[in-house]
Amino acid sequence: EMSAKKVTIALLVENNANVLSRISLLFGRRGYNIDSLTVSETNDPTISRITLTAVGDEPIIEQIVLQTRKLVEVKAVQIEDENTAILRELLLVKIAADESQRPAVREICEIYKASIVDFSASSIVCELTGKPSKVNGFLDVIGKHEILELCRTGVTAIDRGSRVMDFEDKKLHRS
């Protein structure tokens, strides 16, 4: 019996309007939910980097990766290894906090190295950047307070050291 695991997949894609929906369709058709998805510019203006996380059985994830590789606009795909890649996520969370609750919230922020980026008479907004596990840990602890609003960017990842994600065999079609 295969167990489902969370994977982080990075893709280099041609910067065109359709590519994102085509990739999400590949996951959706197989009944896979994409947990997080980030799209960003790269040092090449014609190329975007997509980082997504999904939970799935290894054989099916491998199949999706293979199918993703076949898309014309996809120039490279790699599954990120948590041991050799730097994974980061940004969290913004608004917590209900009156004067009596502020010190406790501040203390949690200090422990997790979260910044307080806004505060009003009734709430505090905290910002935290870190590994997904650190963000989850912070949310577990801060969750003892009333969370009014929360948003996470999703994971973005880059390899440590000199390893660089580069185009696979497919040559770039430049006009």
Side-chain angles (χ1 to χ4, degrees), residues 91-105:
L91 165 79
L92 290 172
V93 59
K94 185 182 290 183
I95 299 141
D98 58 25
E99 234 168 287
S100 67
Q101 296 160 313
R102 272 188 216 142
V105 172

Side-chain angles (χ1 to χ4, degrees), residues 1-173:
E1 182 182 290
M2 284 308 227
S3 64
K5 63 173 199 166
K6 191 176 203 117
V7 289
T8 303
I9 302 168
L11 304 97
L12 292 176
V13 301
E14 277 177 24
N15 210 348
N16 83 36
N18 257 345
V19 69
L20 198 56
S21 56
R22 294 184 64 191
I23 287 162
S24 11
L25 258 173
L26 279 179
F27 280 79
R29 273 204 302 261
R30 296 204 165 258
Y32 272 96
N33 200 19
I34 294 174
D35 294 324
S36 83
L37 177 73
T38 65
V39 184
S40 59
E41 294 176 341
T42 64
N43 45 328
D44 177 342
T46 66
I47 298 294
S48 291
R49 186 175 182 125
I50 296 175
T51 310
L52 61 87
T53 59
V55 176
D57 298 341
E58 231 164 310
I60 295 171
I61 293 288
E62 278 170 31
Q63 194 139 35
I64 293 172
V65 167
L66 283 173
Q67 290 179 333
T68 307
R69 270 201 179 102
K70 288 180 191 161
L71 296 176
V72 182
E73 304 95 333
V74 173
K75 299 301 157 198
V77 183
Q78 75 183 21
I79 294 177
E80 296 290 359
D81 178 349
E82 284 186 42
N83 306 311
T84 58
I86 299 162
L87 274 62
R88 290 294 181 271
E89 194 173 1
L90 170 69
L91 165 79
L92 290 172
V93 59
K94 185 182 290 183
I95 299 141
D98 58 25
E99 234 168 287
S100 67
Q101 296 160 313
R102 272 188 216 142
V105 172
R106 262 213 196 95
E107 195 180 327
I108 296 167
C109 287
E110 242 167 69
I111 292 165
Y112 281 89
K113 294 183 171 55
S115 307
I116 292 171
V117 290
D118 182 67
F119 85 112
S120 69
S122 60
S123 71
I124 293 180
V125 177
C126 308
E127 173 188 318
L128 177 69
T129 306
K131 295 177 186 171
S133 57
K134 178 184 177 180
V135 174
N136 291 335
F138 175 75
L139 283 172
D140 283 346
V141 176
I142 209 84
K144 291 172 180 63
H145 298 269
E146 187 192 348
I147 293 176
L148 300 171
E149 219 176 336
L150 170 163
C151 57
R152 297 171 78 156
T153 56
V155 178
T156 191
I158 200 162
D159 281 317
R160 294 181 182 279
S162 56
R163 250 189 79 197
V164 172
M165 188 172 176
D166 219 340
F167 301 131
E168 289 161 1
D169 325 49
K170 297 190 276 186
K171 294 287 167 259
L172 266 180
H173 309 295

